[in-house]
Amino acid sequence: MHKSAFLIGLGALALALGVTDLTSAQAATWHAGTPKVMRHTWFYNGKGDNKAYITYTKTKSTGNLFGLDATTDRYYRLPGYGLKKLKYQSLGHHIYQLSGIQYSPAGQTVQFDGQRMTYKVKVTAKQLHFYKGYHNYVRQVKFTTTKTPAALK
């Protein structure tokens, strides 16, 4: 009798646990697109010719280095490449993990064209901090710029 009461109790407990949702805390959810705080053009104001830009829209990122026009001593944007079909995951404290498919400008091929790339970035209202590569991008360019020459578009 003692064994059957134990088995009935164990069966009731198993049934109760089966009905109860015991999911543990899950990692942050992936969202389509980019966080609104990132949707802007950001600039890396490096020394010498080491200057870059990155533009985030709702679904993609585009970026590259700046080229120098020697006649006017102004910088222009080189044709951009980046990630499309972006999705992001919030990691907390303004840190995001982004993932997308790499694409290249028309007529060119970048090293990882068509592959999924993932990276982590910290975003504030004034700065993007990348954990790999160029570290800090800001909203304001600190050098003179001009339009990209038509031959490069």
Side-chain angles (χ1 to χ4, degrees):
M1 178 77 175
H2 189 263
K3 276 187 176 180
S4 58
F6 174 75
L7 291 176
I8 291 172
L10 185 61
L13 178 64
L15 181 62
L17 289 177
V19 172
T20 307
D21 186 15
L22 292 178
T23 56
S24 61
Q26 296 178 352
T29 305
W30 284 94
H31 304 280
T34 58
K36 287 183 182 178
V37 70
M38 291 180 72
R39 296 178 194 166
H40 195 277
T41 298
W42 301 85
F43 302 97
Y44 178 73
N45 295 302
K47 295 181 180 181
D49 290 341
N50 193 18
K51 299 170 184 350
Y53 72 94
I54 189 164
T55 301
Y56 286 96
T57 64
K58 187 174 181 177
T59 59
K60 72 178 188 173
S61 67
T62 303
N64 202 346
L65 296 172
F66 278 89
L68 177 63
D69 182 358
T71 59
T72 63
D73 201 31
R74 293 177 182 232
Y75 290 89
Y76 59 88
R77 294 180 189 188
L78 293 171
Y81 59 93
L83 300 177
K84 60 185 176 181
K85 299 181 181 177
L86 278 171
K87 60 183 181 178
Y88 72 95
Q89 181 180 43
S90 176
L91 303 178
H93 303 288
H94 310 288
I95 299 172
Y96 298 95
Q97 184 165 329
L98 284 95
S99 183
I101 308 296
Q102 190 162 13
Y103 72 93
S104 55
Q108 297 181 21
T109 302
V110 292
Q111 184 177 2
F112 300 106
D113 203 11
Q115 293 184 23
R116 178 162 296 278
M117 305 297 261
T118 302
Y119 61 96
K120 192 165 62 167
V121 62
K122 182 172 184 173
V123 184
T124 63
K126 296 181 180 181
Q127 177 177 298
L128 288 180
H129 173 75
F130 289 89
Y131 288 90
K132 291 185 178 179
Y134 293 103
H135 295 290
N136 297 318
Y137 281 69
V138 294
R139 289 190 183 253
Q140 297 294 322
V141 65
K142 295 182 180 177
F143 49 89
T144 56
T145 60
T146 187
K147 291 185 177 185
T148 303
L152 292 177
K153 288 184 181 181

